[in-house]
């Protein structure tokens, strides 16, 4: 086998390796995008919960349908809503005012926003790695 053939084989192996690296990085990037979307959806749900808390704060002597499970409800009477029960983790439920509950939700939003920042940074690093590998591939192709 000639030296030129060996160089060609080496270049082909390197291209295959770079192609695999690009595929793996692309997969990582897609995972980050999915996590980012889930975080956005969670933030939207928390914001909706905050709006609902404002709405129920105004309720006085009314009947509601309380969900027991998906598609299963029970009628319940509300005299007034000054406090709500909040799961604070590990199955512990505590009574909180509407304002205290909204503060807890705001903290969750802050935590999720920080996580989004971290994910954005990771995505940027991956995009930079992809750019470098693509430049290397272009050099290999030109030779």
């Amino acid at each position: 086998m000639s030296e030129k053939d060996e160089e060609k084989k080496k270049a082909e192996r390197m291209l295959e390796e770079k192609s695999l690296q690009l595929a793996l990085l692309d997969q990582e990037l897609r995972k980050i995008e999915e996590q980012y979307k889930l975080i956005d959806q969670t933030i939207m749900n928390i914001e909706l919960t905050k709006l609902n808390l404002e709405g129920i704060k105004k309720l006085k002597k009314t009947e509601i349908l309380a969900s027991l499970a998906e598609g299963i409800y029970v009628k319940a009477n509300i005299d007034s809503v000054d406090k709500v029960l909040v799961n604070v983790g590990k199955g512990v439920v505590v009574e909180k005012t509407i304002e205290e509950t909204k503060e807890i939700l705001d903290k969750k939003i802050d935590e999720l926003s920080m996580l989004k920042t971290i994910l954005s940074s990771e995505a940027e690093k991956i995009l930079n790695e992809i750019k470098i590998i693509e430049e290397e591939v272009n050099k290999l192709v030109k030779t």
Side-chain angles (χ1 to χ4, degrees):
M1 190 184 287
S2 71
E3 191 175 311
K4 192 173 185 180
D5 289 338
E6 285 182 29
E7 284 184 29
K8 186 176 179 181
K9 287 274 189 201
K10 183 179 176 183
E12 286 174 1
R13 281 193 303 269
M14 288 184 73
L15 280 173
E16 287 176 16
E17 182 182 311
K18 299 295 179 188
S19 177
L20 181 59
Q21 287 175 339
L22 285 172
L24 291 173
L25 288 171
D26 185 58
Q27 195 174 35
E28 282 184 53
L29 196 56
R30 288 175 196 236
K31 285 180 187 176
I32 289 172
E33 288 171 353
E34 284 301 313
Q35 290 173 328
Y36 201 89
K37 286 178 187 177
L38 286 172
I39 292 170
D40 275 342
Q41 184 63 46
T42 302
I43 289 172
M44 285 177 25
N45 289 340
I46 292 171
E47 291 292 351
L48 180 60
T49 300
K50 287 172 55 182
L51 286 174
N52 289 338
L53 285 170
E54 279 300 314
I56 66 167
K57 191 164 59 170
K58 299 170 188 166
L59 291 179
K60 304 284 186 222
K61 297 241 181 213
T62 189
E63 183 177 272
I64 65 164
L65 293 177
S67 177
L68 295 176
E70 189 172 331
I72 301 173
Y73 302 91
V74 63
K75 288 183 181 179
N77 291 310
I78 294 181
D79 292 328
S80 69
V81 180
D82 299 324
K83 296 187 178 191
V84 294
L85 300 174
V86 180
N87 183 341
V88 292
K90 298 195 181 205
V92 177
V93 177
V94 295
E95 192 174 73
K96 297 282 185 182
T97 66
I98 299 286
E99 290 308 312
E100 289 171 330
T101 304
K102 286 170 52 180
E103 287 174 16
I104 290 169
L105 294 173
D106 284 335
K107 286 179 185 175
K108 284 185 181 180
I109 289 173
D110 290 343
E111 290 169 4
L112 290 168
S113 294
M114 283 194 301
L115 187 54
K116 280 176 61 175
T117 302
I118 291 167
L119 288 174
S120 292
S121 176
E122 287 180 26
E124 192 173 317
K125 288 176 188 173
I126 290 171
L127 287 170
N128 286 336
E129 283 184 62
I130 289 173
K131 184 178 177 182
I132 290 167
I133 292 172
E134 286 175 341
E135 288 171 359
E136 291 171 357
V137 167
N138 286 336
K139 286 179 187 176
L140 285 171
V141 170
K142 289 178 183 177
T143 57

